[in-house]
Amino acid sequence: MQNDQTEHLPVGLRAHLTPGARCENNPNGGWRLFLPPGRANEYHLAQLDDYSALPRRKFAHTPPLTLEVNMRASHAQPPGTWGFGLWNDPFAMNLLIGRGGMRLPVLPQAAWFFFAASECYLSLRDDLPANGALAATFHSKKPISFALFQLVSSALLFPWRAARRWMRRRLRAVVTQDAVGLNLDPRRWHTYVIHWEKEMVHFEVNGETVLQTGIVPRAPLGLVIWVDNQYAAWHPDGRMRYGFLPHPKAFWMEFSHLRVERK
């Protein structure tokens, strides 16, 4: 995993790049995260974050906070996922990108704009959108690593869909979430804003409210901006899938403005 170009990035962010991926400065201002074409058995990631070398208790962000980004992507459909926001890196992705010490997996906390390929199914609730363009939050009860290992690992080992459906329902007792699908063309410039308050998260696109929810992630959280070709799915019928999607064409997302305002 490459880590470079830090001197050209917004203060506090570092780039994490798989081979062939790039973080570029745009001539007209801003930054571009670029993925080269790839096959299904190859993982590609271009990511900026401010937490990879930190323990979770030292993540930088707490409410009240406003996060604003002006961004667009090269394609309407992502090769896996892309987006930006705040989360607690619950699945210890720092190990995958080769940064920092070991952090055990925990339950998710997040508030973000998330764009996911149709192969993804990233909702525990059947009445919320699970892929596409989303504004979404996750709140979990006080994270206990062993609980996550027991629940998710057991589900992966169960060969019966009925057992996986049961496990998925059990997780809803400790992981609450909210989400709304966004009707927009991500290839056009849009201004995305997250207002994170202690008891409310408010999402805006181009000045219009798209989601206001009382499901609020637990602080502290880290800032992440990324694009990759990874997908994951846990369907209501119990099917589970994970892997990397082929993308014969290069994919990029770029942003011309980033504002983090602590109130």
Side-chain angles (χ1 to χ4, degrees), residues 233-244:
W234 194 347
H235 295 276
D237 64 3
R239 287 178 297 135
M240 301 183 76
R241 299 287 186 273
Y242 173 81
F244 309 125

Side-chain angles (χ1 to χ4, degrees), residues 19-30:
R22 302 196 300 269
C23 176
E24 306 168 326
N25 285 92
N26 286 337
N28 297 324

